Amino acid sequence: MRDSSGTVPRLQANFQEPLGGMLVCCPYILKAGHSNLTDYASLRLDYSTQHTDGVSGALIVYPTKRAPAGFPTWDYDLLVQSSDLYHKFSTVLLAQYLSHWGIDGTPGDEPVPDSGTLNGLGQWAGGGDYFNFTVEPNKTYRIRLVNTGSFASIRFSIDNHPLTVIEADGTLVEPYVVSSVRIDVAQRYSVLVQTNSSQADGVFWIRSQLLTRMFKYKLPGQNTDIRGVMRYSNAPNIAALPIASDDPGPGVHKLGDMDTSLLVPAVKDIPPTQTRQYIITATLQNTNENHFLAFLNKISWEPLTDTSTYMHVRNAGLDNSTYAPTGSSLQPGDQLMITEDSIQVVDLIINNLDDGDHPFHLHGHRPYVMGRGVGRYFGQALNEVNPLRRDTVLVPMYSWTILRFVTDNPGLWAFHCHNAWHMASGMLLQINSLPSKTAQLDVPQAIIDHCDALKQGRRT
Ligand SMILES: [Cu+2]
């Protein structure tokens, strides 16, 4: 679960989302609910690039549904938050990114991180600390991985230990043994690790390597080689660091990195038939005013100030009017809306026309990833049999992806790129599901009072 309710789709709780200008007038409110789905979370404040400066955390929501018979079991749980790290405040970097000349003289070049962290600890300029896991030998550990960063995709691996992927964004998958897992921003995976290495010293690097494909300029002193330590409890020296410097691999000959197209849900889940289609085109480009901004269907989103689309939908409902018509529409203040006031099965056909990759994230739902491919979508076959359901999908440069979801969760749900710089420059639209029902939600008075107070210029 990202954004406090992103991937634990929870009905009737839309107003608990802390997204500025959409659900709340200013995002102070964080509250997590329980779920009957397997999931865990990182809590963040989604106000501009705030989480880049460290406003994030993780929590695990345990399922009430049992895993299918025969699914692997494990002895212990561990959690790893991997992240890129910026030494300057995000407000400073964002201003440079959005300036006419860009951060490095080329408008559109995203700020690159100085370093990274693994559970809050990282290394830079020859110094730093290593997060340490002390593990018992001959056990199975489930490690829950979260990329809580802003920009960089991360390659996660443990020296001399293969990883068995069993879960992606809350969906259990058939066990898949790999040498490393690539985690794009906001994605989550679970891997099983067997602590059965016969290596005598029993101390191994955990690697959380920042992938640099999207980095467009060199930053002096940048460290992308972020590490932690996994130490067997019977290791002879309780303080020694691992000896290996270069990655020795997983200790299994010719084991490959994870390929997301090979992730198969452990419980078959046939998607319903599509009833609506929306084509979403993602671009980043210079405007006539020489601002390099991000666009979905030529609209660059900006948060409303001192009000929210949620309040507009609510107030329209109370007046027996409507805020936005059914279908795709543009509402005042660059608010691109997809509105469905009945339960529909929606296909979002995403065409990425940009030379960058975009980790797209849908709130309030766990969509089916129906298909992906290079170029634009022009009717290629989809996986109608057993597609993976996940809420954060990387749409690589010049490629298409189709996400299918059901509009059965009343509220305003963000669909956006989770790259902090792209989101802050406008790559977001809103799914306005069942507005007639949204208007009837029992909103805490504190939220309404807060919006009213902001309108009157008072900060509460
Ligand atoms: Cu993006």
Side-chain angles (χ1 to χ4, degrees):
M1 177 174 74
R2 298 279 300 191
D3 324 301
S4 89
S5 54
T7 68
V8 180
R10 183 166 179 242
L11 301 182
Q12 315 292 329
N14 182 231
F15 50 81
Q16 293 177 352
E17 290 238 309
L19 247 161
M22 267 189 60
L23 290 317
V24 289
C25 297
C26 196
Y28 296 152
I29 299 154
L30 279 176
K31 203 169 179 181
H34 72 281
S35 165
N36 62 355
L37 298 165
T38 309
D39 218 324
Y40 49 104
S42 75
L43 293 177
R44 289 205 342 261
L45 284 178
D46 265 334
Y47 183 71
S48 186
T49 53
Q50 215 167 31
H51 85 272
T52 304
D53 300 326
V55 189
S56 72
L59 60 85
I60 297 173
V61 181
Y62 289 97
T64 53
K65 281 183 187 166
R66 285 182 181 279
F71 199 74
T73 58
W74 55 94
D75 301 302
Y76 299 110
D77 277 288
L78 301 174
L79 194 142
V80 171
Q81 290 189 74
S82 288
S83 176
D84 48 21
L85 180 74
Y86 291 85
H87 291 176
K88 288 184 183 165
F89 277 115
S90 64
T91 43
V92 174
L93 295 168
L94 183 61
Q96 290 178 310
Y97 174 54
L98 296 176
S99 68
H100 291 313
W101 46 89
I103 194 164
D104 65 339
T106 305
D109 284 3
E110 298 88 351
V112 300
D114 295 275
S115 181
T117 59
L118 190 155
N119 282 356
L121 299 181
Q123 304 85 40
W124 188 75
D129 295 301
Y130 298 97
F131 193 90
N132 179 85
F133 288 107
T134 299
V135 296
E136 292 179 31
N138 301 312
K139 297 288 183 190
T140 302
Y141 285 81
R142 174 179 179 167
I143 306 182
R144 295 165 199 263
L145 305 169
V146 191
N147 182 337
T148 51
S150 298
F151 180 51
S153 296
I154 285 168
R155 182 184 189 272
F156 178 89
S157 65
I158 303 177
D159 288 4
N160 291 104
H161 289 77
L163 309 173
T164 303
V165 183
I166 58 163
E167 177 258 353
D169 291 1
T171 298
L172 296 180
V173 296
E174 290 179 2
Y176 172 24
V177 185
V178 297
S179 59
S180 79
V181 172
R182 174 189 164 129
I183 321 163
D184 297 307
V185 172
Q187 288 185 326
R188 290 87 63 218
Y189 288 98
S190 286
V191 295
L192 298 182
V193 176
Q194 314 276 346
T195 52
N196 55 6
S197 170
S198 57
Q199 221 158 299
D201 54 11
V203 186
F204 304 90
W205 289 121
I206 301 172
R207 297 176 192 267
S208 177
Q209 182 192 350
L210 307 186
L211 300 178
T212 58
R213 196 196 85 70
M214 292 279 287
F215 296 9
K216 293 179 185 136
Y217 61 95
K218 292 258 180 264
L219 188 62
Q222 182 184 60
N223 179 30
T224 58
D225 179 12
I226 311 306
R227 301 185 194 182
V229 172
M230 187 171 85
R231 185 184 310 279
Y232 281 32
S233 59
N234 60 352
N237 183 335
I238 59 164
L241 292 175
I243 296 164
S245 183
D246 293 337
D247 188 346
V252 176
H253 190 54
K254 286 193 172 171
L255 190 62
D257 293 343
M258 181 182 69
D259 173 352
T260 55
S261 71
L262 300 180
L263 294 170
V264 178
V267 180
K268 195 168 181 176
D269 188 351
I270 299 172
T273 304
Q274 165 267 120
T275 60
R276 290 270 203 277
Q277 284 185 320
Y278 293 97
I279 296 174
I280 310 295
T281 301
T283 52
L284 285 123
Q285 60 195 74
N286 241 333
T287 65
N288 292 340
E289 293 79 38
N290 198 25
H291 283 121
F292 203 93
L293 295 175
F295 297 84
L296 293 178
N297 290 358
K298 298 184 179 168
I299 305 301
S300 186
W301 176 74
E302 279 191 62
L304 298 173
T305 51
D306 292 357
T307 184
S308 66
T309 47
Y310 182 76
M311 293 306 288
H312 283 300
V313 166
R314 181 175 178 276
N315 292 338
L318 296 177
D319 292 346
N320 283 325
S321 61
T322 53
Y323 167 63
T326 294
S328 178
S329 70
L330 181 61
Q331 297 307 313
D334 289 329
Q335 306 297 304
L336 180 59
M337 315 295 298
I338 289 177
T339 301
E340 295 291 354
D341 209 10
S342 57
I343 292 181
Q344 300 291 336
V345 181
V346 171
D347 273 6
L348 294 181
I349 302 170
I350 306 150
N351 286 315
N352 177 9
L353 306 188
D354 179 48
D355 65 358
D357 306 336
H358 303 295
F360 274 107
H361 174 53
L362 177 62
H363 289 215
H365 304 81
R366 185 174 294 161
Y368 299 89
V369 185
M370 299 300 296
R372 314 172 70 194
V374 295
R376 286 175 186 248
Y377 181 69
F378 53 88
Q380 294 93 322
L382 302 180
N383 178 1
E384 303 273 0
V385 180
N386 191 20
L388 182 65
R389 293 186 75 173
R390 69 179 315 173
D391 57 68
T392 308
V393 177
L394 190 81
V395 184
M397 63 174 182
Y398 307 127
S399 75
W400 62 272
T401 293
I402 294 186
L403 300 180
R404 180 172 297 179
F405 67 97
V406 182
T407 58
D408 58 359
N409 195 0
L412 287 134
W413 304 107
F415 172 72
H416 65 95
C417 175
H418 227 299
N419 174 325
W421 312 116
H422 295 174
M423 183 174 168
S425 57
M427 198 171 273
L428 181 147
L429 62 76
Q430 292 166 68
I431 309 294
N432 181 14
S433 278
L434 307 175
S436 300
K437 286 206 167 64
T438 305
Q440 305 300 321
L441 293 179
D442 190 12
V443 185
Q445 190 61 37
I447 290 181
I448 297 165
D449 291 348
H450 187 74
C451 290
D452 289 344
L454 286 171
K455 245 182 255 166
Q456 292 160 21
R458 290 183 289 113
R459 300 277 155 177
T460 56

